[in-house]
Amino acid sequence: INLLEQAEEMLLIVVSVCTATGTWNWLIDPDTQKVSFFTSLWNHTFFTICCITLIGLFFAGIHKTVVASSIIAAQCQTVLAEYNTSCNDTGKLILKCRPHVQ
């Protein structure tokens, strides 16, 4: 994983946690049931901004870039296992010893 992928992963985690925290605060607020939906969103700007940011990140495709490298590595390891080899997360080939048959 390169530095950009790590930054994208951290950004997604931080925004997700902030959205979850904002959601909790929004749901436990007793005024949420008493006012209109848009007024409730206006009263909870942290939640609103986090939701908009999270939706924007997903539309930008951040979820694809975060999981793409792990999917590729897993597929490579599956194919390489048939040839008694493997690879690490950086893509280096690992040769395994052949089982000795007598």
Side-chain angles (χ1 to χ4, degrees):
I1 296 179
N2 64 26
L3 190 59
L4 180 61
E5 289 175 352
Q6 287 178 344
E8 290 173 345
E9 189 173 322
M10 285 303 298
L11 178 65
L12 187 60
I13 289 170
V14 168
V15 172
S16 297
V17 169
C18 288
T19 304
T21 305
T23 303
W24 177 253
N25 290 332
W26 182 56
L27 291 174
I28 64 169
D29 184 12
D31 292 337
T32 300
Q33 297 176 357
K34 298 174 186 174
V35 297
S36 70
F37 176 71
F38 291 110
T39 305
S40 178
L41 289 178
W42 184 257
N43 292 339
H44 297 277
T45 54
F46 179 73
F47 168 72
T48 306
I49 292 169
C50 288
C51 282
I52 291 170
T53 305
L54 188 62
I55 291 168
L57 288 173
F58 276 109
F59 277 131
I62 195 168
H63 59 290
K64 293 178 187 175
T65 59
V66 168
V67 297
S69 61
S70 61
I71 291 172
I72 292 170
Q75 289 174 345
C76 288
Q77 288 175 348
T78 302
V79 171
L80 290 173
E82 295 178 14
Y83 300 101
N84 208 25
T85 57
S86 183
C87 66
N88 61 12
D89 292 335
T90 61
K92 289 189 176 185
L93 187 63
I94 302 170
L95 300 175
K96 298 180 181 178
C97 298
R98 290 186 185 182
H100 186 64
V101 181
Q102 293 182 352

